């Protein structure tokens, strides 16, 4: 065991900040995008439209950064666990690739998280952790929302796109709200368990 990886707490704080920001950036990006489309249709000054486009792009970058910092935290947490236990089923590189590879990202990240919880329960030797691991309610609900979001996205791009649909944006946002809350809960809960190992 090398002593260089000790905790994913710093990455967790950054990920939590960016994940909470999704509650503001997503609706702001949608509203500005709609406004930009209306401005183009109404022949508004192109410089103004360009500024709105840059704002939409900046908000999209924040959303992308939210995903990236979450994956960075996930990789760090999995790497720490990899150092602490030989029982992990998966290689730590899959902590990143499992989110990126199409189709695989429907199931492998969930399996990795379950493996993380199972092994941290064993390492902490805490009966409460074991009980909470067996339930995994937050994790299961979170993953169901993730899959539902993907299915809606695929349906949107197959059936509606390029027509804009406010109903789709509202449904997406209604899924983002519990997803953000559950993601933050999972990160915090896992970091509390991880702190018992350090």
């Amino acid at each position: 065991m090398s002593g260089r990886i000790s905790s994913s707490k710093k990455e967790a704080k950054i990920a939590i900040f960016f994940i909470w920001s999704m509650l503001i950036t997503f609706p702001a990006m949608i509203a500005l995008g709609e406004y930009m489309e209306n401005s183009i249709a109404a022949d508004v000054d192109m410089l103004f439209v360009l500024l709105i486009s840059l704002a939409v792009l900046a908000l999209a970058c924040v959303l992308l950064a939210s995903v990236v910092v979450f994956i960075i935290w996930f990789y760090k947490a999995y790497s720490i666990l990899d150092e602490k236990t030989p029982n992990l089923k998966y290689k730590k590189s899959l902590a990143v690739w499992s989110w990126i590879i199409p189709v695989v990202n429907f199931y492998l990240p969930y399996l990795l998280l379950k493996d993380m919880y199972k092994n941290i329960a064993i390492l902490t030797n805490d009966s409460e952790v074991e009980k909470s691991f067996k339930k995994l309610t937050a994790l299961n609900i979170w993953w169901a929302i993730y899959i539902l979001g993907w299915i809606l996205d695929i349906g949107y791009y197959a059936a509606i796109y390029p027509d804009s649909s406010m109903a789709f944006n509202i449904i997406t946002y209604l899924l983002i709200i519990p997803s953000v809350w559950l993601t933050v809960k999972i990160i915090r809960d896992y970091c509390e368990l991880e702190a018992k190992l350090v």
Side-chain angles (χ1 to χ4, degrees), residues 10 17 20-21 25 43 49 56 78 84 109 126 129 141 144 148 157 161 175 178:
K10 181 176 82 172
F17 171 79
W20 277 124
S21 77
T25 54
D43 275 341
V49 172
V56 170
Y78 202 80
K84 306 280 185 189
D126 185 336
V129 174
I141 294 170
L148 182 59
Y157 287 107
Y161 187 81
L175 288 174

Side-chain angles (χ1 to χ4, degrees), residues 90-103:
Y90 308 99
K91 294 180 180 181
K92 65 181 180 180
S93 62
L94 286 176
V96 173
W97 291 110
S98 66
W99 293 98
I100 298 169
I101 300 170
V103 181

Side-chain angles (χ1 to χ4, degrees), residues 15-33:
I16 288 170
F17 171 79
F18 273 93
I19 289 164
W20 277 124
S21 77
M22 291 175 77
L23 294 177
I24 297 167
T25 54
F26 182 81
M29 187 179 79
I30 297 303
L32 281 173

